[in-house]
């Protein structure tokens, strides 16, 4: 059984490498530095007096619906539809002269429905906003967290503009999807390879 499993994994890895779009991770334009720790990625950008970090994790970042449609009636030579990773991401804005960090929790809506009658809808939304003490790794539940569901739309628009001014806009969100998808695929291949060596290990 294990032999067949290992063989299956070998073929699977070959296939996945064939469809791998990026051998190295795509860059995000706008001078963002990338750090990757396993499944967590962090993009950092410094602008006058501020440091902006965007953190996301590729685990559970692929919407579930993508996998259900492929099995039925698929001809053997048809490519499976491409899986896209749309992780939630957290933007932290740290100003040099304050002890506080503004934290914005953003996500990609499942269905891209904009507000009625808007020409251009945003591909990501801000879900929550809070202040956290700068440099603390554990965020406090006692800090007020603003949920955007019930937010005055003018304030929400200003928050979106505030992010856009710092390079977090639709272009960035698109490139983040590219990066996250490439990272997810890379980790998936690595997982298959680890699984293969694990299965073969006597």
């Amino acid at each position: 059984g294990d032999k067949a499993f290992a063989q299956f994994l070998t073929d699977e890895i070959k296939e996945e490498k064939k469809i791998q779009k990026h051998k190295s991770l795509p860059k995000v334009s706008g001078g963002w530095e990338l750090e990757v720790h396993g499944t967590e990625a962090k993009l950092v950008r410094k602008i006058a007096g501020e440091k902006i970090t965007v953190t996301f994790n590729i685990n559970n970042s692929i919407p579930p619906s993508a996998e259900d449609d492929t099995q039925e009636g698929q001809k053997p030579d048809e490519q499976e539809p491409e899986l896209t990773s749309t992780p939630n991401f957290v933007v932290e804005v740290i100003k040099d002269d304050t002890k506080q960090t503004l934290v914005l929790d953003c996500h990609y809506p499942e269905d891209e429905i904009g507000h009625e009658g808007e020409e251009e809808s945003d591909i990501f939304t801000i879900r929550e906003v809070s202040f956290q003490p700068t440099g603390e790794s554990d965020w406090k539940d006692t800090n007020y967290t603003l949920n955007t569901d019930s937010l005055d739309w003018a304030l929400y628009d200003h928050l979106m503009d505030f992010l856009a001014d710092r390079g977090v806009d639709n272009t960035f969100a698109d490139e983040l999807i590219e990066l996250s998808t490439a990272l997810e695929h890379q980790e998936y291949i690595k997982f298959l390879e680890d699984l293969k060596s694990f299965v073969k290990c006597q």
Side-chain angles (χ1 to χ4, degrees):
D2 284 2
K3 221 182 226 136
F5 192 8
Q7 188 49 55
F8 167 79
L9 288 168
T10 307
D11 297 342
E12 195 68 9
I13 290 163
K14 228 187 347 240
E15 280 308 300
E16 290 295 334
K17 283 193 167 155
K18 219 187 303 176
I19 61 171
Q20 195 173 18
K21 271 210 311 215
H22 303 280
K23 292 292 168 250
S24 60
L25 294 174
K27 293 249 182 294
V28 176
S29 58
W32 294 89
E33 299 283 308
L34 173 66
E35 300 166 24
V36 179
H37 307 284
T39 59
E40 187 172 88
K42 187 186 217 171
L43 290 156
V44 183
R45 180 173 189 241
K46 292 190 173 73
I47 50 177
E50 293 183 3
K51 177 178 162 191
I52 297 103
T53 67
V54 177
T55 319
F56 65 92
N57 194 318
I58 56 164
N59 279 336
N60 306 322
S61 65
I62 292 183
S65 60
E67 288 154 22
D68 307 339
D69 328 326
T70 52
Q71 273 66 41
E72 294 291 306
Q74 195 184 1
K75 300 186 187 69
D77 56 338
E78 269 180 38
Q79 274 296 326
E80 290 186 16
E82 241 176 72
L83 296 177
T84 312
S85 160
T86 50
N88 298 344
F89 59 97
V90 175
V91 183
E92 296 171 58
V93 180
I94 302 162
K95 287 191 189 268
D96 290 349
D97 45 6
T98 68
K99 299 270 179 290
Q100 287 184 313
T101 299
L102 182 65
V103 179
L104 302 104
D105 194 342
C106 304
H107 75 141
Y108 295 97
E110 295 285 308
D111 36 10
E112 308 283 288
I113 302 166
H115 298 303
E116 295 305 298
E118 248 187 20
E119 325 68 88
E120 205 180 286
S121 74
D122 293 298
I123 61 173
F124 70 97
T125 57
I126 303 170
R127 245 197 323 211
E128 292 182 343
V129 188
S130 67
F131 278 110
Q132 297 296 344
T134 301
E136 301 254 332
S137 53
D138 292 335
W139 289 340
K140 299 181 172 43
D141 288 339
T142 51
N143 288 13
Y144 179 74
T145 299
L146 176 68
N147 191 311
T148 56
D149 290 346
S150 52
L151 201 57
D152 175 346
W153 63 266
L155 175 52
Y156 182 83
D157 282 349
H158 278 297
L159 284 169
M160 287 299 271
D161 290 344
F162 176 85
L163 282 182
D165 290 343
R166 283 150 184 80
V168 180
D169 52 13
N170 276 349
T171 309
F172 173 86
D174 266 335
E175 292 181 355
L176 187 105
I177 291 177
E178 277 279 293
L179 170 62
S180 182
T181 302
L183 185 60
E184 204 284 331
H185 199 203
Q186 190 177 293
E187 285 293 316
Y188 176 60
I189 292 173
K190 195 166 143 302
F191 172 79
L192 292 177
E193 286 169 339
D194 290 346
L195 186 57
K196 187 177 91 175
S197 358
F198 186 84
V199 169
K200 284 171 96 167
C201 191
Q202 291 308 316

